[in-house]
Amino acid sequence: MKIVIINYGAGNIQSIKFAIQRLGYNAILSEDAEEIKAADKVIFPGVGEASNAMEKLKQTGLDKVIPTLKMPVLGICLGMQLMCNYCEEGNTQGLRIFECNVVKFKNQLKVPQIGWNQIENLKTDLFKGIKEKEYMYLVHSFYVPINKRAIATTNYGIKYTSAMHKSNFYGVQFHPEKSSKAGAQILKNFLEL
Amino acid sequence: MLTKRIIPCLDIKNGRTVKGVNFVALRDAGDPVELAAIYANNGADELVFLDISATEEKRKTLIELVLDVAEKVNIPFTVGGGISSIEDVEILLNSGADKVSINSSAVKNPQLINDLAAKFGSQCVVVAIDAKQINGEWIVHLVGGKVPTNIKLFEWVKEVEKRGAGEILFTSMNHDGTKNGFANKALAYLSNLVNIPIIASGGAGTMQHFTDAFIHGKADAALAASVFHYKEIEIKDLKNELKRNGIPVRL
């Protein structure tokens, strides 16, 4: 199986590579459109600020490539947010794979949300073997509101979408690569989709 | 519900874990990667590695260590010690660190906080602050708490938040190494003062101290070293105890 982690200079890709390695698979890092298109599974990571990350995608032309991919694609954290229509952060137009917008937490709780929170209302095989209310590690200031693509929800002052799915595209707001054994299981589920 | 975090801190010197009592008299408590993996398995929510030997020639050793930890450990970790530039941070994050912690360099060059937040995002910028209460006033200290500044803690914390820090790691020099509990009054004040998470550090001796830091200190996370390294407190027992006290934890 050929697993490609999109390497566009936005995020902790080393951790994802290591997490996949711990599952007994090997992933390559690439920003080459042809290599990405030829993969069996693609991971679209992202940490940092949305408009900068989107700018980097545009520089490499990957903003045009990612929405056309046909294999299972997993967006993680900012990767998931960039798959959406629009991000409030940096007034950023996203890849428009998911129809929803990404908005800032406006509640009385601390922002960013940093730490372990629960995921529930789990749907699809991405969560095979994962129990409701399992803990995942999250770090974010912006969130995707509840929408019809949600396959997991989390509560942080409000209930929001912590994972979503549309055809071959999956997105998770949490970091499976940093979420202990349950996170590893979710990554494994994705690789075995 | 977002849980309160328990964070073992591994002070690193020459690739080994050490823990100072009041930041002096260092003892050796083992191999950092092995310890990190044990803590991750035992329910630690995050780890902090503070390289207290952070000189130029040691920097490479630290990068090796970060890579090694990232390869073996499946929970988030922060690296601190001697970080003073965007380049320092870039190589640590690229090696697998999730966050970096800056301390003296932020005091000397506050713009560094803005620069790091802009380039890497606030979420990976932890500003560590060592402070000592002198004549009722909390004063920021440098060089592992040895050198006083004329900066007031509460003013500095506000500034640090404004400049884009994602978290504050607050160590009370009056409490560190004493095992008499965290600086809960100052912690609670800090927690209300800013809207970013506060990590309590300095003074952990018993499980009750952690409960107090979360309830009275309103801390978002609590960090400790020797009580974990010398197995005086097992993280699993601690989390069960916290849960019994009504504090949300990941079990």
Side-chain angles (χ1 to χ4, degrees), chain A residues 17-32:
Chain A
K17 188 176 158 67
F18 284 140
I20 289 170
Q21 225 168 278
R22 288 194 292 269
L23 292 168
Y25 293 96
N26 229 324
I28 56 165
L29 310 176
S30 178
E31 54 174 5
D32 178 70

Side-chain angles (χ1 to χ4, degrees), chain A residues 27-151:
Chain A
I28 56 165
L29 310 176
S30 178
E31 54 174 5
D32 178 70
E34 293 314 310
E35 195 156 35
I36 293 168
K37 282 185 204 163
D40 299 303
K41 298 286 184 323
V42 170
I43 293 182
F44 176 37
V47 170
E49 198 272 337
S51 63
N52 284 330
M54 197 62 202
E55 205 42 54
K56 284 177 188 155
L57 282 181
K58 283 181 181 163
Q59 281 163 13
T60 50
L62 290 175
D63 60 318
K64 300 281 188 300
V65 175
I66 295 169
T68 65
L69 295 173
K70 301 287 179 257
M71 74 295 284
V73 178
L74 178 66
I76 297 177
C77 195
L78 183 61
M80 172 184 112
Q81 296 188 351
L82 292 179
M83 285 170 154
C84 296
N85 193 31
Y86 169 79
C87 306
E88 268 186 16
E89 186 178 33
N91 191 20
T92 309
Q93 293 298 329
L95 298 174
R96 300 171 177 274
I97 294 166
F98 293 102
E99 303 84 348
C100 46
N101 294 338
V102 187
V103 298
K104 184 150 192 176
F105 280 120
K106 283 186 192 71
N107 48 36
Q108 295 305 306
L109 300 172
K110 293 188 176 184
V111 178
Q113 168 175 227
I114 299 184
W116 298 78
N117 201 336
Q118 290 164 308
I119 53 170
E120 51 194 320
N121 302 308
L122 307 179
K123 292 181 195 129
T124 76
D125 280 351
L126 190 65
F127 296 108
K128 201 165 64 185
I130 302 294
K131 65 178 200 292
E132 284 285 318
K133 302 204 172 204
E134 182 56 83
Y135 290 100
M136 290 290 139
Y137 184 76
L138 298 135
V139 183
H140 60 127
S141 301
F142 294 79
Y143 72 96
V144 174
I146 295 294
N147 65 79
K148 63 178 179 182
R149 305 292 182 193
I151 54 170

Side-chain angles (χ1 to χ4, degrees), chain B residues 95-151:
Chain B
S95 304
D98 297 280
K99 312 181 215 179
V100 293
S101 150
I102 53 173
N103 190 332
S104 301
S105 58
V107 173
K108 287 175 194 147
N109 170 25
Q111 178 64 27
L112 181 63
I113 305 169
N114 305 61
D115 295 347
L116 294 179
K119 183 152 171 75
F120 306 107
S122 291
Q123 82 292 328
C124 67
V125 183
V126 180
V127 174
I129 305 173
D130 299 333
K132 192 185 257 176
Q133 199 174 22
I134 300 168
N135 298 327
E137 188 96 68
W138 282 96
I139 302 295
V140 175
H141 281 59
L142 299 180
V143 199
K146 287 197 276 281
V147 179
T149 66
N150 53 10
I151 302 167

Side-chain angles (χ1 to χ4, degrees), chain B:
Chain B
M1 189 173 196
L2 183 67
T3 56
K4 301 290 188 182
R5 289 170 281 155
I6 297 297
I7 309 178
C9 177
L10 291 78
D11 287 353
I12 306 295
K13 193 172 187 181
N14 306 329
R16 300 275 298 174
T17 314
V18 287
K19 171 61 190 172
V21 176
N22 275 332
F23 282 71
V24 192
L26 301 172
R27 291 196 288 174
D28 196 338
D31 167 32
V33 181
E34 197 183 328
L35 252 179
I38 292 170
Y39 286 140
N41 277 331
N42 288 352
D45 295 306
E46 274 183 53
L47 299 166
V48 168
F49 295 87
L50 278 185
D51 189 14
I52 57 174
S53 66
T55 55
E56 276 313 309
E57 67 266 29
K58 296 291 176 342
R59 183 63 51 190
K60 274 191 192 135
T61 323
L62 181 66
I63 302 299
E64 295 287 310
L65 176 66
V66 169
L67 274 168
D68 212 7
V69 173
E71 193 173 346
K72 291 176 182 122
V73 174
N74 58 10
I75 59 170
F77 66 98
T78 301
V79 179
I83 296 167
S84 57
S85 68
I86 286 183
E87 293 71 36
D88 289 346
V89 173
E90 191 152 36
I91 189 160
L92 289 169
L93 296 180
N94 285 343
S95 304
D98 297 280
K99 312 181 215 179
V100 293
S101 150
I102 53 173
N103 190 332
S104 301
S105 58
V107 173
K108 287 175 194 147
N109 170 25
Q111 178 64 27
L112 181 63
I113 305 169
N114 305 61
D115 295 347
L116 294 179
K119 183 152 171 75
F120 306 107
S122 291
Q123 82 292 328
C124 67
V125 183
V126 180
V127 174
I129 305 173
D130 299 333
K132 192 185 257 176
Q133 199 174 22
I134 300 168
N135 298 327
E137 188 96 68
W138 282 96
I139 302 295
V140 175
H141 281 59
L142 299 180
V143 199
K146 287 197 276 281
V147 179
T149 66
N150 53 10
I151 302 167
K152 291 176 181 167
L153 169 67
F154 299 127
E155 287 170 14
W156 178 231
V157 165
K158 279 300 273 185
E159 180 176 344
V160 155
E161 179 189 38
K162 211 161 86 190
R163 287 179 178 275
E167 274 181 296
I168 304 280
L169 167 55
F170 166 57
T171 302
S172 161
M173 304 310 304
N174 303 76
H175 297 74
D176 196 64
T178 64
K179 298 198 173 181
N180 285 331
F182 294 91
N184 295 322
K185 253 178 100 174
L187 278 167
Y189 190 83
L190 284 177
S191 200
N192 288 330
L193 191 64
V194 291
N195 199 37
I196 54 177
I198 306 287
I199 306 167
S201 158
T206 66
M207 293 202 271
Q208 185 61 41
H209 292 154
F210 288 87
T211 299
D212 292 343
F214 292 128
I215 293 179
H216 303 300
K218 299 182 168 32
D220 299 285
L223 175 144
S226 57
V227 290
F228 297 137
H229 300 335
Y230 299 109
K231 294 190 194 306
E232 289 160 30
I233 297 177
E234 292 282 353
I235 293 172
K236 275 180 187 156
D237 299 340
L238 172 60
K239 288 186 137 186
N240 280 317
E241 171 75 11
L242 291 171
K243 197 182 178 201
R244 276 195 292 276
N245 290 328
I247 295 161
V249 286
R250 175 180 68 106
L251 282 174

